[in-house]
Amino acid sequence: MADVFEVLGKDHAEVRAMLTELEAGTRKGPPADPAELRRRGELVQRLVIDESKHEAVEEEYFWPAVRELLGDGDELADHGVGQEQDAKHVLAVLDKSKPGEADFEEAVARFIADAREHISYEEGTVWPRMRQVLDPERAQRMGDRIAAAKKHAPTRPHPNTPPNPALLKTAGPAVAATDRIRDLVSGRGRH
Ligand SMILES: [Fe+2]
Ligand SMILES: [Fe+2]
């Protein structure tokens, strides 16, 4: 049993590790070796899948609780969800381009900076406030729900879908199922 902060924090740690690895690759310059290029492509694909799921479940369960429990929750959530929407556009570029292409490296650099800023905002600004108002039992329940929801969450960014929690709860599973069928057919995320 893990509470909401542990479940989301584990995702953040995994994303941070991927960003560090991607950044190390950027510093070395564009990979010339086809195997290295492929590995970089696979890493980004994993990042797109994991991030898409993570932000979808936050939008479904975490940000609504921020709005409900904090006096300035709407402002805090609007800022966080706004960062997530911007990130989805970058993830969509990454999902379509390939390592070695100009668009790809540009989007990688932008995503590394934006994702770090977003994670710092959540962990440094929003979580301390939520820890004060979220009772431990509800934090556990939310952690369980988020962990379960991730199993059926969309694996693609869907930047043009409004991040509406009610809509995600009704349409989300259908969108996620379509994503997963596409993944199955293409072999995406099977590395
Ligand atoms: Fe987020
Ligand atoms: Fe997050």
Side-chain angles (χ1 to χ4, degrees):
M1 286 255 292
D3 73 15
V4 57
F5 305 107
E6 289 165 331
V7 173
L8 295 177
K10 185 169 172 282
D11 285 354
H12 288 177
E14 286 168 8
V15 168
R16 277 200 178 105
M18 286 190 262
L19 299 179
T20 304
E21 197 176 335
L22 277 172
E23 194 175 43
T26 308
R27 247 186 259 120
K28 278 197 290 182
D33 172 22
E36 219 178 302
L37 263 180
R38 199 177 53 239
R39 174 158 168 65
R40 193 161 171 81
E42 287 169 1
L43 180 61
V44 165
Q45 203 171 68
R46 175 51 45 206
L47 181 70
V48 172
I49 292 171
D50 288 357
E51 265 289 305
S52 299
K53 292 199 278 191
H54 176 83
E55 304 302 358
V57 295
E58 281 181 343
E59 281 161 15
E60 206 171 327
Y61 294 99
F62 182 72
W63 294 117
V66 171
R67 292 183 193 281
E68 179 200 326
L69 297 173
L70 296 172
D72 55 351
D74 280 337
E75 279 161 58
L76 289 166
D78 286 348
H79 183 71
V81 171
Q83 287 179 324
E84 290 169 5
Q85 279 302 101
D86 290 346
K88 285 181 201 169
H89 288 280
V90 186
L91 288 170
V93 173
L94 284 174
D95 202 28
K96 284 194 204 94
S97 53
K98 290 198 170 49
E101 294 175 3
D103 275 6
F104 182 89
E105 290 304 331
E106 217 177 275
V108 165
R110 163 126 191 245
F111 190 79
I112 290 173
D114 290 0
R116 282 182 178 150
E117 191 184 322
H118 177 61
I119 291 175
S120 301
Y121 173 70
E122 290 182 338
E123 291 189 355
T125 303
V126 184
W127 289 12
R129 302 275 315 279
M130 284 300 278
R131 282 184 200 276
Q132 286 174 359
V133 292
L134 197 60
D135 68 74
E137 205 181 301
R138 187 165 168 191
Q140 284 287 342
R141 253 195 338 264
M142 204 189 292
D144 291 343
R145 282 211 185 109
I146 286 179
K150 271 185 63 185
K151 297 195 180 110
H152 310 284
T155 63
R156 291 173 196 267
H158 303 286
N160 300 316
T161 305
N164 174 322
L167 189 75
L168 271 166
K169 283 200 176 86
T170 49
V175 171
T178 313
D179 283 352
R180 281 156 201 273
I181 289 166
R182 282 177 68 195
D183 292 348
L184 202 65
V185 172
S186 64
R188 179 176 180 265
R190 217 182 287 154
H191 318 291

